[in-house]
Amino acid sequence: KKMDDFWKPSQKVLGDMKFLQSLREYDKDNVSPPIIKKIRNTYIPNPEFVPEKIRQASNAAEGLCKWVRAIEAYDRVAKVVAPKKAALAIAESKFAEAQKSLNAKRAMLKEVQDKLQKFER
């Protein structure tokens, strides 16, 4: 089985002083589908790609493994939550319109009740 050797490019990336900052600022809401597909098909099902096993090789690699798994989980959950957030926004907008209309009708009712009270005196 062919094994990819990522050690040389990894050393360059890990040596970058802004690498950790770039992980913190990573746009997790816009991970491209091909990247997520690669993570889900290649890394997540791999029994060797678990933090406990990777820790044996490197603490830094363990952290990256956790980060990759977290990005994948976030993406999976975000795709479920996003349509619900959109539906909630629509429902809240409709509710606000209905509340506004109700308040207007209540004001009209109060006017009518006030006029009716004047006639009853």
Side-chain angles (χ1 to χ4, degrees):
K1 181 178 174 182
K2 180 183 177 239
M3 295 286 286
D4 291 326
D5 183 9
F6 296 107
W7 182 240
K8 287 282 186 198
S10 297
Q11 284 179 310
K12 184 177 180 182
V13 170
L14 292 172
D16 181 359
M17 296 303 222
K18 294 186 179 185
F19 178 63
L20 190 56
Q21 180 181 351
S22 71
L23 292 179
R24 286 188 188 122
E25 295 172 356
Y26 190 79
D27 186 6
K28 62 189 177 291
D29 292 311
N30 294 304
V31 181
S32 71
I35 291 174
I36 286 295
K37 183 178 179 183
K38 176 86 171 174
I39 290 170
R40 287 195 178 124
N41 294 340
T42 305
Y43 297 103
I44 299 300
N46 184 341
E48 299 295 315
F49 192 72
V50 289
E52 298 76 27
K53 286 192 177 187
I54 291 189
R55 182 183 319 125
Q56 296 168 0
S58 159
N59 285 335
E62 175 194 15
L64 285 174
C65 175
K66 287 179 178 179
W67 183 84
V68 169
R69 289 181 159 279
I71 290 292
E72 186 278 329
Y74 179 88
D75 184 77
R76 193 172 2 100
V77 170
K79 285 189 172 45
V80 171
V81 172
K84 293 177 182 181
K85 277 185 174 178
L88 175 63
I90 291 169
E92 286 176 336
S93 174
K94 287 180 180 179
F95 176 75
E97 288 176 31
Q99 199 68 28
K100 188 176 176 181
S101 175
L102 176 62
N103 288 338
K105 299 292 182 189
R106 282 181 175 157
M108 288 171 56
L109 176 61
K110 183 166 178 11
E111 280 182 39
V112 170
Q113 287 174 333
D114 289 347
K115 287 179 183 177
L116 185 61
Q117 268 187 345
K118 284 182 184 178
F119 289 124
E120 288 177 345
R121 291 184 189 167

